[in-house]
Amino acid sequence: MKNLTALSLKTEQGELYVLDQTLLPQQQHWLSCQTVAQMVSMIKALQLRGAPAIGIGACLLLAYRATKGDSREQLLQDAEVLRAARPTAVNLMNNLDTMIAALQQTDFNAAAVACAEQLFAEDVALCQRMAEFGAALVQDGEQLLTHCNTGGLATAGVGTALGVINLAHQQGKNIRLWVDETRPLLQGGRLTAWECQQLGIPYQLICDNMAAMLMARGQVDRIFVGSDRIAANGDFANKVGTYSLAVLAQYHKVPFYVVAPHTTVDLACADGSAIPIEQRHSDEVRGVSGGFGTAIWAPEQAPVFNPAFDVTPASLVTGWVLDSGVYSQADIAKGALQQFV
Ligand SMILES: CSC[C@H]1O[C@H](OP(=O)(O)O)[C@H](O)[C@@H]1O
């Protein structure tokens, strides 16, 4: 395979490596990934995360296994094991379907490698197009807000929402960014803050419960978030806490945009109620550090509710920034997403 390098995935001498995002920002540690079991474990542990990156990583692993001589039957079985690794992010399912089609070819080894490389290259291009469409919405001097992590760590390219914000910054629009820490796993506090520092984006880290006050003070001009799955009617799933941001944005009349490649659209889901929401381990909520050094733990048996995602209704969305353009509520109501059948 070509030497594919992105912030979260790379190949060297035909070997696949994953940047362990659970160790960021303190450590940049690359993990060798040679088996399906390893890839599933890395996805479940969020060592590899972000809807687009997960889908591409899974296909890169299958391509790697194909270069190691695995049979078509084994690869097809492995694709189904990978499909179950993260139930909400539809990019994983869409990319695996593309890979499964490639594996039907006579020379499935070469077809698998070509497919993975094409998916990688496609996501790089999709990210750039989303960034261009989204950055055009940003006015000079605006204060922006984002949730979770949607940069290069979560995709093969510049990212989705953070790719938009970064391009607006690069265009000299003097933006400032509020970064939601994003409890419980702190993708914003750990990963978006780190990416902003790498990119030189002026940002301030906030607790999720501070966004309302900033909007009340008129200190948020526009919000960009990512997505793990967009339903046919424009409802979308994203990291938990997104829905509350959208409600606050409507109350405070702050424009609210979801940024995602068309590979995130799932027309099989008529609306948000059909999107499966992954429930995660209780310890993710029970443990919190809060700057006190060692983690503070809730009571041992504290019952916990820990949905990894929530669903934002289309009625709360100002615009959908996709790789083919920015769509309004009227566009979506007229069926704009049906083109992504
Ligand atoms: C462009 S990544 C989309 C999406 O993925 C993140 O979830 P996770 O950190 O659990 O992988 C988050 O929901 C992002 O918005």
Side-chain angles (χ1 to χ4, degrees):
M1 288 189 282
K2 289 180 196 150
N3 183 7
L4 301 174
T5 299
L7 273 171
S8 55
L9 291 161
K10 69 177 179 181
T11 59
E12 282 174 359
Q13 289 81 40
E15 299 299 315
L16 177 61
Y17 294 89
V18 169
L19 180 60
D20 184 345
Q21 297 190 33
T22 63
L23 298 180
L24 288 175
Q26 281 72 28
Q27 288 182 56
Q28 293 183 50
H29 177 61
W30 289 89
L31 301 165
S32 170
C33 188
Q34 301 182 349
T35 67
V36 171
Q38 285 174 327
M39 179 54 79
V40 168
S41 171
M42 290 174 188
I43 291 173
K44 285 182 178 295
L46 276 74
Q47 290 170 305
L48 174 64
R49 48 151 298 281
I54 290 168
I56 291 158
C59 291
L60 280 171
L61 187 275
L62 289 173
Y64 171 76
R65 293 305 320 163
T67 65
K68 295 299 177 188
D70 285 9
S71 68
R72 177 187 285 125
E73 291 66 30
Q74 183 60 56
L75 294 168
L76 291 171
Q77 276 178 34
D78 289 346
E80 294 316 310
V81 171
L82 286 163
R83 192 185 296 271
R86 285 206 76 189
T88 305
V90 75
N91 306 63
L92 176 60
M93 294 66 176
N94 286 341
N95 286 1
L96 287 171
D97 289 343
T98 304
M99 176 58 79
I100 288 166
L103 290 172
Q104 307 312 316
Q105 295 184 35
T106 305
D107 185 358
F108 64 89
N109 301 67
V113 173
C115 174
E117 291 178 348
Q118 194 271 335
L119 287 170
F120 190 104
E122 179 188 63
D123 192 63
V124 171
L126 297 180
C127 285
Q128 189 55 37
R129 289 208 289 274
M130 285 183 277
E132 290 163 3
F133 285 121
L137 297 166
V138 178
Q139 303 307 308
D140 189 56
E142 284 191 333
Q143 297 186 75
L144 308 177
L145 186 144
T146 196
H147 190 71
C148 198
N149 174 255
T150 58
L153 287 170
T155 66
V158 294
T160 58
L162 193 59
V164 166
I165 295 163
N166 181 39
L167 183 56
H169 166 66
Q170 287 180 3
Q171 291 171 341
K173 293 188 174 179
N174 300 307
I175 57 102
R176 282 170 291 154
L177 178 64
W178 301 107
V179 174
D180 267 5
E181 66 169 352
T182 316
R183 280 273 292 151
L185 294 177
L186 307 181
Q187 289 94 325
R190 294 183 299 110
L191 306 177
T192 300
W194 183 71
E195 288 196 283
C196 285
Q197 288 182 222
Q198 310 294 313
L199 298 167
I201 297 172
Y203 76 98
Q204 282 182 273
L205 180 59
I206 61 172
C207 295
D208 303 339
N209 55 17
M210 299 171 186
M213 167 203 216
L214 288 168
M215 288 190 232
R217 285 178 168 184
Q219 290 183 257
V220 180
D221 299 304
R222 210 174 295 270
I223 298 173
F224 292 101
V225 298
S227 178
D228 295 78
R229 192 179 304 219
I230 301 175
N233 73 337
D235 298 350
F236 73 95
N238 193 48
K239 187 53 51 196
V240 65
T242 301
Y243 171 55
S244 51
L245 267 185
V247 172
L248 287 166
Q250 183 165 77
Y251 180 82
H252 292 287
K253 298 179 175 49
V254 174
F256 183 88
Y257 297 91
V258 55
V259 185
H262 69 271
T263 49
T264 305
V265 174
D266 181 7
L267 297 180
C269 287
D271 58 48
S273 66
I275 300 175
I277 300 297
E278 176 189 3
Q279 300 295 320
R280 292 186 61 88
H281 196 281
S282 301
D283 282 353
E284 294 178 355
V285 175
R286 288 200 191 104
V288 62
S289 66
F292 291 92
T294 55
I296 308 161
W297 289 92
E300 186 78 24
Q301 301 307 320
V304 165
F305 174 56
N306 185 20
F309 304 97
D310 59 22
V311 174
T312 299
S315 59
L316 296 179
V317 180
T318 308
W320 290 255
V321 182
L322 305 186
D323 48 274
S324 50
V326 181
Y327 298 89
S328 66
Q329 283 203 5
D331 296 328
I332 299 297
K334 282 187 277 189
L337 295 179
Q338 300 305 318
Q339 64 182 300
F340 304 118
V341 62

